[in-house]
Amino acid sequence: DREAIIRDYELCELEEQQGGNRMPDRTHHCDVLVIGSGTAGYCAAVAAGRQGIRTILVEKDEVLGGNSGPHLGVGITGADRYHPYAAETGIIHEIQEEAAWIGAVSPFPSGAYTISRRLEALVQEYLERAGVTVLKRHYARAPIMAGNRITAVLAEDLAAFRSVRIEVSGVVVEASGDGPIGAQAGADFDFGSEAQAEFGERSAPPTRTAQVQGSSLVALAYNTGRPVEFYTAPSFDAFVDTLFAGGYDIVASPPHFA
């Protein structure tokens, strides 16, 4: 009920204020903790694991990949958006090349989306080869601090309904979508798109913007060769056939430095 939810929230708040002194159900130990299994997260975890460093990767979802995973399937793009023969290098290129060889792609003409579970399995394999411990369905919710350093992170095992404490002897790589652990720890952060002049990036916009990625609902369709009627659910507004081409008028915001 509502009161139980409020009591549980207040207990979590008290636990965080007291530094997480409540005994967790399970404790893990690592030198590097990576939060989030998007492209940046799993590449960081693989890089650390290949150096023989005890690495843990936590992901709140049940699949790996973040926005590029099978639940959303946004294609991994970068240099190729600005030159047809350009490509990313390093670990991400290794994975993309192997994915192409084993057919871990979705057969869409544009190549913009890949919802292949085989690609997610390939990412899992790369992490295992590197010796990374992968904790799926684990939500990192609060850092435990010693001065200005994160010594542990409290997480919730969403599958087993238990609290987990992850002791970190080295560093925490905050690679989640929203970056709450980094923000709670007091780390400097920026958001939006920086201007070309800030870092000398040719592909950056001329002026800084505060545009960030929002929620997405992806629909993949194919040509059936015949008309297919679209039926709107009774609880939704009537369907209006429009073509969205983007374009937001957003006022730029400066970076945040704690």
Side-chain angles (χ1 to χ4, degrees):
D1 59 7
R2 178 179 174 81
E3 292 183 359
I5 294 174
I6 293 174
R7 285 196 303 271
D8 184 60
Y9 175 79
E10 290 175 344
L11 179 61
C12 291
E13 288 288 300
L14 179 61
E15 179 183 346
E16 292 173 15
Q17 292 170 10
Q18 294 176 345
N21 292 326
R22 191 177 69 177
M23 187 66 66
D25 299 307
R26 176 170 292 186
T27 300
H28 299 279
H29 299 267
C30 65
D31 301 313
V32 172
L33 172 63
V34 180
I35 302 172
S37 72
T39 306
Y42 65 67
C43 285
V46 169
R50 284 178 174 179
Q51 298 300 313
I53 301 171
R54 292 184 306 168
T55 305
I56 291 177
L57 172 70
V58 297
E59 166 56 49
K60 69 179 181 180
D61 210 340
E62 65 267 21
V63 295
L64 303 172
N67 283 342
S68 62
H71 278 184
L72 189 58
V74 177
I76 301 171
T77 60
D80 59 312
R81 296 190 63 181
Y82 305 99
H83 193 285
Y85 298 108
E88 308 305 314
T89 58
I91 293 172
I92 189 58
H93 185 267
E94 292 179 41
I95 295 175
Q96 287 186 296
E97 187 173 45
E98 189 164 343
W101 276 107
I102 66 175
V105 295
S106 298
F108 302 121
S110 67
Y113 289 94
T114 296
I115 57 173
S116 170
R117 289 299 295 265
R118 183 178 289 184
L119 176 59
E120 195 253 348
L122 179 62
V123 171
Q124 176 96 31
E125 183 179 340
Y126 262 76
L127 291 164
E128 291 174 353
R129 288 183 203 166
V132 178
T133 299
V134 179
L135 302 178
K136 296 181 181 179
R137 297 291 285 151
H138 279 65
Y139 173 68
R141 66 173 179 80
I144 304 301
M145 308 294 296
N148 63 352
R149 180 176 171 273
I150 300 176
T151 59
V153 170
L154 298 176
E156 299 301 323
D157 183 342
L158 303 177
F161 301 101
R162 62 189 175 193
S163 297
V164 174
R165 182 182 178 111
I166 304 173
E167 299 284 346
V168 185
S169 65
V171 299
V172 174
V173 179
E174 170 59 285
S176 65
D178 296 321
I181 298 299
Q184 290 178 62
D188 296 341
F189 66 87
D190 194 2
F191 66 92
S193 299
E194 64 274 9
Q196 290 179 354
E198 292 185 51
F199 298 99
E201 295 178 280
R202 293 179 302 171
S203 58
T207 58
R208 168 177 282 273
T209 74
Q211 184 173 343
V212 296
Q213 187 173 14
S215 299
S216 298
L217 178 62
V218 178
L220 302 177
Y222 66 97
N223 189 349
T224 65
R226 58 183 177 80
V228 177
E229 190 72 23
F230 179 86
Y231 295 96
T232 304
S235 58
F236 288 85
D237 294 333
F239 173 71
V240 179
D241 188 5
T242 59
L243 177 63
F244 176 71
Y248 294 94
D249 183 15
I250 301 178
V251 178
S253 299
H256 165 84
F257 294 107

